[in-house]
Amino acid sequence: MKPTLFLLAAGMGSRYGGLKQLDGLGPNGETIMDYSIYDAINAGFGKLVFVIRKDFEQDFREKIISKYEGHIPCELVFQALDALPEGFTCPADRTKPWGTNHAVMMGADVIKEPFAVINCDDFYGRDSFQVMGKYLAALPEGSKNVYSMVGFRVGNTLSESGTVSRGICSTDAKGLLTSVVERTKIQRLDGEVKYIDDNGEWTATPDTTPVSMNFWGFTPDYFAYSEEFFKTFLSDPKNMENLKSEFFIPLMVDKLINDGTATVEVLDTTSKWFGVTYPEDRQSVVDKIQALVDAGEYPAKLF
């Protein structure tokens, strides 16, 4: 069975101020998402599912979905503040979405096969889709509790314009994820990758240290665990009172690993991640994409 690609696009409208600013960075105005979808199709993914805001639907269908139809089946699901389990109501003053794992939960009715989750605005690179596609396609029918994550080498994910925030991963002898620790300030200093540790000191880490860039692989049982744990999350008064609290994917994954419920295999990739972390990064991203097109990695026109 071909895996599905689930794209987190619910934050797009707010972040870009509407679709017209979905930035064209490729030679023919291609977006970063266009490259991800092109790579996913070539890596054997069989369907796309986008999670968006409902008020965005018409615009999204006309400007985005229309491009991919004819290349791969597409579905839309919607993330809304009031999409909560029975017995819970959204605080009246809340305007912020409930986070990435809540967005993933919206796919439960349309995804019945192994699936990968990505951010729409990260350039992940061809090899990362190949390793994830291969892993998911090789899972025996009906597999449960065997998840995966593309572990980018930290040296391949830095910005030339300043520090970045990354989830630094620890693995066991079998290459299974044991923890993800968010480090908010990482950069290359004196030729070494360093981050600020808990004591406020710069600490070096090898270039090959795996980091999470929110590229996950799950089997459909993940939806039921998420539904249950989301109830626990919402039952905590702190999370209801804090109008910015979010139910993130790493929170759910961490719980399943610590409970011994699931394993997460960290898949190594040679892909170089890039994205527009700072406004100054934009030109660098345009140049990197152009270099990949010039090298024959991508056609000048994708769709």
Side-chain angles (χ1 to χ4, degrees):
M1 187 182 283
K2 287 185 166 190
T4 286
L5 183 66
F6 190 98
L7 298 103
L8 300 173
M12 259 189 190
S14 53
R15 200 175 309 161
Y16 293 99
L19 283 178
K20 63 180 183 297
Q21 288 161 316
L22 244 177
D23 219 354
L25 300 165
N28 288 290
E30 292 83 0
T31 63
I32 284 178
M33 187 163 72
D34 290 336
Y35 288 94
S36 292
I37 290 167
Y38 179 84
D39 284 336
I41 292 169
N42 286 323
F45 284 81
K47 180 171 79 177
L48 305 177
V49 177
F50 299 87
V51 58
I52 64 167
R53 295 195 331 251
K54 181 74 178 155
D55 61 341
F56 216 34
E57 180 179 5
Q58 193 180 345
D59 228 5
F60 200 88
R61 285 191 188 280
E62 284 170 11
K63 296 184 181 139
I64 304 281
I65 300 281
S66 59
K67 267 196 288 198
Y68 310 129
E69 281 176 337
H71 296 280
I72 188 171
C74 300
E75 300 218 35
L76 286 182
V77 295
F78 306 104
Q79 184 179 21
L81 290 175
D82 58 1
L84 299 178
E86 207 172 316
F88 294 94
T89 16
C90 182
D93 299 340
R94 187 177 177 106
T95 54
K96 192 175 184 61
W98 289 103
T100 49
N101 208 59
H102 178 252
V104 170
M105 288 165 61
M106 301 304 107
D109 291 340
V110 299
I111 298 176
K112 306 297 177 196
E113 57 285 317
F115 65 102
V117 177
I118 64 165
N119 294 336
C120 276
D121 50 354
D122 287 321
F123 193 103
Y124 291 107
R126 183 166 63 186
D127 183 68
S128 64
F129 286 93
Q130 296 287 346
V131 297
M132 178 60 84
K134 189 176 169 187
Y135 177 89
L136 294 175
L139 289 173
E141 186 105 14
S143 289
K144 289 183 174 181
N145 307 330
V146 280
Y147 308 149
S148 53
M149 184 202 91
V150 177
F152 284 79
R153 300 169 190 177
V154 67
N156 284 341
T157 72
L158 304 177
S159 164
E160 286 142 37
S161 309
T163 61
V164 294
S165 194
R166 299 285 178 257
I168 291 194
C169 302
S170 302
T171 54
D172 65 13
K174 294 179 183 165
L176 299 176
L177 186 66
T178 53
S179 74
V180 181
V181 178
E182 193 67 25
R183 297 292 181 190
T184 52
K185 287 193 172 166
I186 306 178
Q187 67 183 133
R188 195 177 293 284
L189 293 170
D190 309 321
E192 283 187 305
V193 178
K194 295 185 178 179
Y195 63 85
I196 299 268
D197 66 15
D198 297 338
N199 303 317
E201 304 284 325
W202 283 104
T203 302
T205 190
D207 265 52
T208 52
T209 303
V211 293
S212 166
M213 301 305 298
N214 226 23
F215 193 159
W216 300 93
F218 298 118
T219 43
D221 48 284
Y222 186 77
F223 293 118
Y225 296 130
S226 296
E227 181 82 17
E228 280 313 301
F229 192 42
F230 191 41
K231 290 176 190 170
T232 308
F233 176 90
L234 294 171
S235 301
D236 183 338
K238 284 202 308 288
N239 291 328
M240 274 303 202
E241 288 158 17
N242 175 4
L243 300 177
K244 295 193 170 171
S245 62
E246 291 184 73
F247 185 42
F248 291 120
I249 295 169
L251 194 68
M252 184 73 242
V253 169
D254 200 46
K255 176 183 163 48
L256 294 172
I257 290 173
N258 289 326
D259 288 354
T261 304
T263 58
V264 178
E265 189 166 329
V266 177
L267 309 173
D268 180 42
T269 182
T270 55
S271 281
K272 288 184 166 61
W273 173 95
F274 51 88
V276 184
T277 310
Y278 298 93
E280 309 86 271
D281 292 334
R282 187 186 182 282
Q283 190 54 47
S284 154
V285 170
V286 169
D287 295 344
K288 284 173 182 166
I289 291 175
Q290 188 62 55
L292 289 168
V293 172
D294 292 345
E297 293 256 336
Y298 294 100
K301 190 155 176 36
L302 295 179
F303 295 103

